[in-house]
Amino acid sequence: MKMNIKRPLTRSLSKTRVMQKALAYDTGLSKATINNYVAGGNVRPNEAVDIANVLRDPEMSMQIGHMMLGLFKSFNGDAFYHDLRALDAFDEKESGEEQAAYNEHHIRQLISMPRRTAEQDDELMTWLNEVMDAVLMKITLLVAGTETLGTTPMDLLQARIPYYQEQHYMRGDDPTWEV
Protein backbone atom coordinates (compact mmCIF):
# COMPACT_ATOMS: atom_id res chain seq x y z
CA MET A 1 0.00 0.00 0.00
CA LYS A 2 1.26 3.45 -0.91
CA MET A 3 -0.24 6.90 -0.52
CA ASN A 4 0.30 10.47 -1.64
CA ILE A 5 1.16 12.96 1.10
CA LYS A 6 2.10 15.91 -1.12
CA ARG A 7 -0.35 18.44 0.37
CA PRO A 8 0.02 17.61 4.07
CA LEU A 9 3.81 17.28 3.70
CA THR A 10 4.14 20.61 1.90
CA ARG A 11 1.98 22.34 4.54
CA SER A 12 3.91 20.72 7.36
CA LEU A 13 7.32 21.60 5.95
CA SER A 14 6.20 25.20 5.58
CA LYS A 15 4.65 25.34 9.04
CA THR A 16 7.53 23.65 10.87
CA ARG A 17 10.20 25.36 8.74
CA VAL A 18 12.03 22.07 8.40
CA MET A 19 14.12 21.87 5.24
CA GLN A 20 13.83 18.82 2.99
CA LYS A 21 17.52 18.06 3.52
CA ALA A 22 17.10 18.01 7.30
CA LEU A 23 13.97 15.86 7.02
CA ALA A 24 15.85 13.41 4.80
CA TYR A 25 18.72 13.20 7.27
CA ASP A 26 16.46 12.75 10.32
CA THR A 27 14.34 10.05 8.64
CA GLY A 28 17.26 8.21 7.03
CA LEU A 29 15.72 8.77 3.61
CA SER A 30 17.46 10.42 0.69
CA LYS A 31 16.80 14.05 -0.20
CA ALA A 32 15.63 12.81 -3.62
CA THR A 33 13.06 10.59 -1.90
CA ILE A 34 11.73 13.48 0.20
CA ASN A 35 11.67 15.70 -2.90
CA ASN A 36 9.72 12.97 -4.72
CA TYR A 37 7.11 12.93 -1.92
CA VAL A 38 6.84 16.73 -1.99
CA ALA A 39 6.35 16.52 -5.77
CA GLY A 40 3.50 14.02 -5.36
CA GLY A 41 5.18 10.63 -5.46
CA ASN A 42 3.64 7.83 -3.44
CA VAL A 43 5.06 7.10 0.00
CA ARG A 44 5.18 3.82 1.89
CA PRO A 45 3.17 3.87 5.14
CA ASN A 46 6.20 3.27 7.38
CA GLU A 47 8.03 6.17 5.74
CA ALA A 48 4.99 8.42 6.13
CA VAL A 49 4.96 7.60 9.86
CA ASP A 50 8.70 8.31 10.12
CA ILE A 51 8.22 11.66 8.38
CA ALA A 52 5.30 12.61 10.63
CA ASN A 53 7.29 11.63 13.75
CA VAL A 54 10.27 13.74 12.70
CA LEU A 55 8.16 16.78 11.80
CA ARG A 56 6.19 16.56 15.08
CA ASP A 57 3.30 18.33 13.35
CA PRO A 58 0.06 17.18 14.99
CA GLU A 59 -2.09 18.09 11.97
CA MET A 60 0.12 16.03 9.67
CA SER A 61 0.10 13.12 12.10
CA MET A 62 -3.70 13.23 12.24
CA GLN A 63 -3.86 13.28 8.43
CA ILE A 64 -1.49 10.28 8.14
CA GLY A 65 -3.55 8.35 10.74
CA HIS A 66 -6.69 9.16 8.80
CA MET A 67 -5.21 8.10 5.47
CA MET A 68 -3.68 4.87 6.79
CA LEU A 69 -6.20 3.68 9.35
CA GLY A 70 -9.35 5.70 8.82
CA LEU A 71 -8.91 7.46 12.16
CA PHE A 72 -10.62 10.76 12.84
CA LYS A 73 -8.72 13.83 11.77
CA SER A 74 -8.91 17.43 12.78
CA PHE A 75 -10.79 20.09 10.85
CA ASN A 76 -8.36 21.92 8.58
CA GLY A 77 -10.64 24.05 6.41
CA ASP A 78 -10.87 27.83 6.34
CA ALA A 79 -14.30 28.23 7.98
CA PHE A 80 -12.58 29.59 11.11
CA TYR A 81 -9.20 30.70 12.41
CA HIS A 82 -7.13 27.83 13.73
CA ASP A 83 -6.17 29.42 17.02
CA LEU A 84 -7.35 28.46 20.48
CA ARG A 85 -9.79 31.35 20.96
CA ALA A 86 -11.61 30.75 17.68
CA LEU A 87 -11.61 26.99 18.15
CA ASP A 88 -12.92 27.34 21.70
CA ALA A 89 -15.84 29.39 20.38
CA PHE A 90 -16.61 26.83 17.66
CA ASP A 91 -16.22 24.00 20.18
CA GLU A 92 -18.87 25.63 22.37
CA LYS A 93 -21.15 25.99 19.33
CA GLU A 94 -20.73 22.33 18.27
CA SER A 95 -21.18 21.02 21.81
CA GLY A 96 -24.36 23.09 22.14
CA GLU A 97 -25.73 21.74 18.86
CA GLU A 98 -25.00 18.17 19.98
CA GLN A 99 -26.82 18.69 23.28
CA ALA A 100 -29.76 20.39 21.55
CA ALA A 101 -30.15 17.46 19.13
CA TYR A 102 -29.91 15.01 22.05
CA ASN A 103 -32.75 16.79 23.84
CA GLU A 104 -34.89 17.53 20.78
CA HIS A 105 -34.87 13.95 19.53
CA HIS A 106 -35.19 12.33 22.97
CA ILE A 107 -32.05 10.29 22.37
CA ARG A 108 -31.97 8.67 25.79
CA GLN A 109 -35.40 7.20 25.09
CA LEU A 110 -34.50 6.23 21.50
CA ILE A 111 -31.38 4.30 22.44
CA SER A 112 -33.26 2.35 25.09
CA MET A 113 -35.90 1.08 22.65
CA PRO A 114 -35.63 -2.53 21.48
CA ARG A 115 -37.05 -1.54 18.05
CA ARG A 116 -37.13 1.80 16.28
CA THR A 117 -38.96 3.14 13.27
CA ALA A 118 -37.13 4.47 10.23
CA GLU A 119 -38.03 7.98 11.39
CA GLN A 120 -36.51 7.29 14.81
CA ASP A 121 -33.36 5.94 13.17
CA ASP A 122 -33.17 9.21 11.21
CA GLU A 123 -33.42 11.15 14.48
CA LEU A 124 -30.66 9.02 15.96
CA MET A 125 -28.54 9.67 12.86
CA THR A 126 -29.15 13.42 13.17
CA TRP A 127 -27.83 13.31 16.73
CA LEU A 128 -24.85 11.11 15.77
CA ASN A 129 -23.90 13.64 13.07
CA GLU A 130 -23.88 16.33 15.75
CA VAL A 131 -21.76 14.07 17.96
CA MET A 132 -19.31 13.68 15.05
CA ASP A 133 -19.15 17.47 14.58
CA ALA A 134 -18.45 17.95 18.29
CA VAL A 135 -15.82 15.19 18.43
CA LEU A 136 -13.94 16.51 15.40
CA MET A 137 -14.02 20.02 16.83
CA LYS A 138 -12.62 18.67 20.13
CA ILE A 139 -9.85 16.92 18.20
CA THR A 140 -9.11 20.15 16.33
CA LEU A 141 -9.00 22.04 19.63
CA LEU A 142 -6.67 19.40 21.10
CA VAL A 143 -4.31 19.62 18.11
CA ALA A 144 -4.18 23.43 18.30
CA GLY A 145 -3.69 23.36 22.07
CA THR A 146 -0.81 20.92 21.93
CA GLU A 147 0.79 22.92 19.11
CA THR A 148 0.53 26.03 21.27
CA LEU A 149 2.44 24.19 24.00
CA GLY A 150 5.02 22.81 21.55
CA THR A 151 3.96 19.22 22.03
CA THR A 152 1.74 16.70 20.25
CA PRO A 153 -1.50 14.89 21.08
CA MET A 154 0.49 11.63 21.19
CA ASP A 155 2.91 13.08 23.78
CA LEU A 156 -0.06 14.26 25.82
CA LEU A 157 -1.70 10.84 25.58
CA GLN A 158 1.47 8.99 26.56
CA ALA A 159 1.82 11.16 29.66
CA ARG A 160 -1.85 10.65 30.54
CA ILE A 161 -2.06 6.86 30.04
CA PRO A 162 -0.91 6.03 33.60
CA TYR A 163 -3.83 8.07 34.93
CA TYR A 164 -6.27 6.30 32.58
CA GLN A 165 -4.91 2.95 33.70
CA GLU A 166 -5.24 3.95 37.35
CA GLN A 167 -8.88 4.90 36.69
CA HIS A 168 -9.41 1.63 34.80
CA TYR A 169 -10.32 3.53 31.62
CA MET A 170 -7.51 1.71 29.79
CA ARG A 171 -5.88 -1.65 30.35
CA GLY A 172 -2.21 -1.86 31.17
CA ASP A 173 -1.60 -4.76 28.78
CA ASP A 174 -2.15 -2.82 25.55
CA PRO A 175 0.60 -3.31 22.95
CA THR A 176 3.29 -0.63 22.71
CA TRP A 177 5.99 0.22 20.20
CA GLU A 178 9.50 -0.95 20.99
CA VAL A 179 12.16 1.46 19.80
Side-chain angles (χ1 to χ4, degrees):
M1 178 175 93
K2 293 185 178 186
M3 61 186 166
N4 184 305
I5 61 169
K6 176 182 179 174
R7 280 181 270 170
L9 178 57
T10 302
R11 279 192 301 268
S12 186
L13 286 169
S14 176
K15 183 167 66 172
T16 62
R17 297 187 180 130
V18 172
M19 303 300 295
Q20 289 184 34
K21 184 177 181 178
L23 179 60
Y25 179 81
D26 290 343
T27 58
L29 300 170
S30 71
K31 183 173 182 315
T33 298
I34 297 298
N35 187 52
N36 178 47
Y37 298 156
V38 169
N42 288 330
V43 61
R44 291 180 184 88
N46 60 318
E47 291 174 355
V49 170
D50 291 343
I51 289 168
N53 285 337
V54 166
L55 290 173
R56 292 185 52 80
D57 176 6
E59 187 177 330
M60 170 127 181
S61 295
M62 300 294 287
Q63 182 69 31
I64 297 295
H66 174 71
M67 292 168 71
M68 289 175 58
L69 301 171
L71 301 176
F72 290 148
K73 65 179 192 166
S74 56
F75 288 136
N76 59 7
D78 59 3
F80 42 80
Y81 291 110
H82 286 262
D83 64 42
L84 285 178
R85 285 186 300 192
L87 292 172
D88 183 52
F90 274 88
D91 179 54
E92 182 178 18
K93 171 192 173 290
E94 293 298 345
S95 294
E97 289 175 356
E98 175 194 350
Q99 189 61 49
Y102 182 89
N103 294 333
E104 178 184 340
H105 299 290
H106 308 284
I107 297 302
R108 179 167 286 157
Q109 181 182 359
L110 280 179
I111 60 179
S112 67
M113 294 176 156
R115 288 183 286 276
R116 290 179 306 277
T117 65
E119 182 180 325
Q120 290 169 327
D121 280 349
D122 288 345
E123 291 176 334
L124 186 57
M125 184 60 76
T126 297
W127 172 67
L128 289 174
N129 282 325
E130 293 298 338
V131 170
M132 177 73 74
D133 296 349
V135 166
L136 292 179
M137 188 53 73
K138 286 280 187 219
I139 289 171
T140 305
L141 186 65
L142 177 67
V143 167
T146 57
E147 280 185 299
T148 298
L149 294 174
T151 188
T152 68
M154 185 54 105
D155 292 337
L156 188 66
L157 176 61
Q158 290 302 320
R160 194 72 170 158
I161 283 177
Y163 169 77
Y164 295 145
Q165 290 171 340
E166 181 182 297
Q167 298 299 312
H168 300 275
Y169 296 162
M170 290 184 174
R171 294 187 306 267
D173 63 350
D174 288 339
T176 59
W177 288 104
E178 297 295 325
V179 182

